[in-house]
Amino acid sequence: MRSSFLFRLTRAVVCSYLVSAVLVFLLSWGLYVMKWEAAGSKAAVHAVYFLACLAGGFLAGRQFVEKRLLWGLFTGLLYALVLITVSQLTGGPGSHQLPEIAVMTGICLAGGAFGSILS
């Protein structure tokens, strides 16, 4: 029996957030223990967004046989929407800046799409 599309999509987005959690932990460990410079942390966070959505897009592409690119894009979009919502609710830095939101959404869409292409 095939699982529903909602369950498969949720699994891909959850995978993205698990990868994101691991990468953020490694980034924070590197900043703290290895005394990395904080100047490049914005680029590193963007890389975390891309790699997390890449993993989710890859999983979505594996689960959905048809229209893989569309499902990879949708996975990246859902990741970005959850990230924007949590940022807006917590009032985190950059939560009200439209250019930063647009860049982050573009990175997430690109990561999801590229992951689905690689699947």
Side-chain angles (χ1 to χ4, degrees), residues 32-51:
Y32 181 72
V33 174
M34 309 286 268
K35 306 289 190 233
W36 289 345
E37 295 292 325
S41 63
K42 188 172 184 178
V45 169
H46 286 171
V48 167
Y49 294 157
F50 182 79
L51 292 173

Side-chain angles (χ1 to χ4, degrees), residues 10-119:
T10 303
R11 190 179 345 176
V13 174
V14 168
C15 173
S16 293
Y17 275 102
L18 290 175
V19 169
S20 180
V22 169
L23 291 175
V24 166
F25 174 76
L26 291 174
L27 177 63
S28 63
W29 178 80
L31 286 170
Y32 181 72
V33 174
M34 309 286 268
K35 306 289 190 233
W36 289 345
E37 295 292 325
S41 63
K42 188 172 184 178
V45 169
H46 286 171
V48 167
Y49 294 157
F50 182 79
L51 292 173
C53 290
L54 181 89
F58 184 82
L59 185 61
R62 286 285 185 186
Q63 292 178 1
F64 294 100
V65 179
E66 296 178 358
K67 300 181 183 177
R68 291 181 179 192
L69 181 62
L70 178 67
W71 290 111
L73 282 169
F74 198 59
T75 301
L77 181 65
L78 281 178
Y79 181 92
L81 288 176
V82 170
L83 198 60
I84 290 167
T85 303
V86 170
S87 177
Q88 293 291 331
L89 291 176
T90 60
S95 63
H96 303 290
Q97 299 172 354
L98 187 60
E100 183 65 30
I101 291 172
V103 167
M104 185 265 307
T105 304
I107 290 171
C108 292
L109 287 171
F114 192 61
S116 67
I117 290 170
L118 290 178
S119 66

